[in-house]
Amino acid sequence: MKHILTRILAAAAFIAACAPDFVSAGGAPDPWAEVPKILARIKAPSFPDRVYPITKYGATANGKGDSSEAIRKAIDACAAAGGGTVLVPAGTFLTGPIHLKSNINLHLAEGATLLFYNDPDRYMPNIFTRWEGVELMNFSPLIYAHGQENIAITGKGTLDGQATDDTWWAMHDLSKNRVPGQPPGSDSRNTLMRQADEPIETMDPRKRIYGKGENLRPPFIQPYNCKNILIEGVTILRSPFWEINPVLCQNVTVRGLKIISHGHNNDGCNPESCADVLIEDVYFDTGDDCIAIKSGRNNDGRRVNVPSENIIIRNCVMKDGHGGVTIGSEISGGCRNVFVENCRMDSPHLDRALRFKTNAVRGGVIENIYFRNIQVGQVADAVVHVDFNYEEGAKGAHTPVLRNVVIENMTSQSSSYAFYLRGFAKSPISNITVRDSVFNGVQRDNILEHVDGFEAVDVKINRVPPKPKIKKKKKG
């Protein structure tokens, strides 16, 4: 009897050890139990107690003298000593691109502004980067790091990219920026996208030479293949292109920022093929998606084949933009395990709150996406928007997958649609669950095309439970 009792206790102990930390009300494992585990891996870097003021190396605070070389010397000296803080004191400092090194915190004191040149020539020679999910040689990002560890941009100061409709943003008008030597109708972006669809075995991204004479604007901040990153506290203005774009990075913290930039394609924060990312307490007022999670485009993204995963977004405010939290469209490497909570999205110039965009050329698997406690005031289009027909649509061989999306405790006050979901007949959107949510001021009926498993529990649209009309098409 004693041996039987011992076996029972051992079995009970084994079952308890294997069980999830938390259980949902329905008895199923609670996916939010993963959040503390992810947060335990996300740790902001620390730095030695050494300080290197850029003024010591010749930087001038009048906003006119070129401080580029002084900043470079301060970074080199700090790195040579084993790391520390490169200090930008109060004042306005004009600079070209800044390349960070390991164990360096670029700290902007209160009242400090780094004013970046808006002359493309200052961002040559080309460096290895990613542009809309495609690797290439292009202009340097305004702040860049490659293969570094323990890097930070912190402080209460301002980063101003000085982009205007007459400088960087003019490159968006492709009719005025043709590729030299190519016929009318061609442009840099189209050329790059064709290269992204070449056979994987023949691809060489370092032979994709862009930069000067082309029209691919650089992102503002891009750590590339880096670990242990902190971007905290600063204000970011007038970016040429995407604002914060960590690529192939691990352990990333983005918090306490104020991002205001209304140029073309001015996405706020785009983690791309990154793992263990925390975005919190950020104010977004942007010209494109506030947050857009990505993982590479088309065949080039499949060549790299690294997903974005284990991403936590919380306590953020989204004003203007195309989407509040977006996944895609450059999502060929896939995306999984995204947790979004306690965010507020509200503007007549915010098109959608939660947005998924992909197609049969991108492909990729998007799964295990969780939202809770989301307050939406006004959006122009849909509160929840999924579109497999984005850009190229069904004309491709790489069927996209979206599954396991759970939305809880969401409210909205004004929108065209509550749900606009368009999948493919050959690959329907699957397992979308909405609970304990209220959508008011909705002007149009839900659009549900090729959706397999849409569950609404304790949900009201304009004060009544939804009666979704599922539209089916013969071809996806």
Side-chain angles (χ1 to χ4, degrees):
M1 187 71 179
K2 182 178 179 181
H3 294 298
I4 294 173
L5 181 60
T6 300
R7 290 178 182 176
I8 292 172
L9 292 173
F14 176 79
I15 292 170
C18 294
D21 294 337
F22 300 92
V23 177
S24 67
D30 182 0
W32 288 90
E34 291 300 311
V35 169
K37 300 174 186 178
I38 297 170
L39 289 173
R41 298 194 298 267
I42 300 174
K43 298 179 180 178
S46 58
F47 302 92
D49 222 9
R50 294 181 283 264
V51 179
Y52 293 79
I54 63 172
T55 48
K56 178 181 176 182
Y57 297 87
T60 56
N62 61 6
K64 297 179 180 179
D66 186 351
S67 295
S68 305
E69 184 65 13
I71 294 171
R72 185 192 65 77
K73 288 180 179 178
I75 289 172
D76 287 347
C78 186
T85 296
V86 171
L87 174 64
V88 182
T92 299
F93 301 88
L94 185 61
T95 183
I98 295 172
H99 289 193
L100 294 178
K101 296 183 177 181
S102 293
N103 304 312
I104 287 179
N105 174 18
L106 178 65
H107 183 80
L108 282 75
E110 188 170 4
T113 296
L114 281 176
L115 200 63
F116 287 82
Y117 284 101
N118 54 21
D119 177 3
D121 287 351
R122 297 298 302 249
Y123 298 87
M124 297 293 292
N126 286 336
I127 53 90
F128 189 73
T129 181
R130 214 180 201 184
W131 197 90
E132 285 196 2
V134 184
E135 293 186 322
L136 75 165
M137 305 297 293
N138 195 32
F139 294 118
S140 171
L142 279 58
I143 300 178
Y144 179 73
H146 190 280
Q148 306 300 308
E149 297 187 17
N150 305 323
I151 56 175
I153 303 167
T154 64
K156 295 183 179 181
T158 298
L159 301 170
D160 187 344
Q162 289 204 97
T164 68
D165 287 330
D166 296 322
T167 57
W168 286 118
W169 295 340
M171 289 185 178
H172 176 74
D173 187 351
L174 303 179
S175 65
K176 297 179 181 178
N177 292 279
R178 299 300 182 195
V179 177
Q182 294 192 5
S186 64
D187 60 82
S188 306
R189 184 179 184 274
N190 286 346
T191 302
L192 181 64
M193 296 310 135
R194 286 194 294 270
Q195 292 171 329
D197 283 327
E198 293 172 350
I200 291 174
E201 58 272 16
T202 61
M203 285 184 174
D204 184 352
R206 293 186 182 273
K207 291 183 179 179
R208 300 168 186 160
I209 308 299
Y210 289 82
K212 187 175 180 179
E214 308 287 354
N215 53 26
L216 304 183
R217 295 161 286 152
F220 205 132
I221 301 171
Q222 189 184 74
Y224 202 105
N225 192 27
C226 294
K227 295 181 180 179
N228 311 332
I229 300 157
L230 172 64
I231 305 173
E232 181 177 37
V234 296
T235 295
I236 301 174
L237 307 174
R238 298 192 291 177
S239 176
F241 189 59
W242 296 352
E243 284 135 74
I244 301 173
N245 179 213
V247 177
L248 294 164
C249 292
Q250 295 181 340
N251 184 20
V252 180
T253 300
V254 177
R255 66 186 177 204
L257 304 181
K258 189 173 186 179
I259 299 176
I260 303 173
S261 191
H262 277 254
H264 304 285
N265 312 110
N266 274 193
D267 294 31
C269 184
N270 292 4
E272 190 169 4
S273 300
C274 291
D276 296 338
V277 178
L278 173 63
I279 305 170
E280 64 178 352
D281 300 312
V282 179
Y283 176 91
F284 294 95
D285 187 359
T286 63
D288 209 305
D289 294 319
C290 296
I291 295 173
I293 301 169
K294 301 176 181 290
S295 61
R297 184 179 181 113
N298 302 0
N299 274 359
D300 197 68
R302 286 181 280 274
R303 175 184 60 83
V304 178
N305 194 30
V306 176
S308 281
E309 59 186 343
N310 306 327
I311 297 174
I312 298 169
I313 300 166
R314 62 189 186 184
N315 305 322
C316 292
V317 174
M318 289 80 170
K319 300 298 289 185
D320 291 5
H322 291 181
V325 175
T326 295
I327 299 179
S329 72
E330 298 84 8
I331 204 68
S332 301
C335 177
R336 57 185 176 237
N337 308 335
V338 177
F339 300 85
V340 183
E341 64 177 336
N342 302 327
C343 292
R344 177 163 179 79
M345 309 175 189
D346 183 12
S347 172
H349 304 294
L350 179 63
D351 293 338
R352 308 157 190 95
L354 313 180
R355 183 186 191 194
F356 300 80
K357 51 181 177 177
T358 184
N359 59 46
V361 180
R362 306 285 186 279
V365 176
I366 304 170
E367 61 184 352
N368 307 333
I369 314 297
Y370 305 99
F371 301 91
R372 70 182 182 185
N373 305 332
I374 307 296
Q375 294 183 351
V376 179
Q378 179 179 3
V379 293
D381 186 16
V383 181
V384 182
H385 188 278
V386 180
D387 192 4
F388 282 11
N389 292 281
Y390 184 80
E391 292 188 344
E392 295 96 334
K395 298 178 181 179
H398 302 275
T399 308
V401 173
L402 173 62
R403 62 192 177 206
N404 303 336
V405 178
V406 180
I407 301 168
E408 301 176 280
N409 193 24
M410 184 177 195
T411 63
S412 69
Q413 303 306 319
S414 178
S415 64
S416 291
Y417 300 93
F419 299 95
Y420 185 101
L421 314 180
R422 299 179 66 207
F424 291 153
K426 61 184 177 182
S427 180
I429 300 162
S430 60
N431 300 336
I432 308 294
T433 302
V434 187
R435 302 191 189 104
D436 304 315
S437 297
V438 176
F439 304 86
N440 289 322
V442 179
Q443 300 165 18
R444 301 181 181 180
D445 290 340
N446 292 334
I447 299 293
L448 302 180
E449 294 180 2
H450 306 306
V451 179
D452 183 8
F454 179 89
E455 183 181 21
V457 181
D458 293 327
V459 173
K460 290 186 178 181
I461 298 177
N462 294 338
R463 299 195 175 118
V464 298
K467 295 180 180 179
K469 297 178 181 178
I470 299 178
K471 296 183 179 180
K472 293 183 179 181
K473 294 183 177 180
K474 294 182 180 180
K475 295 183 180 181

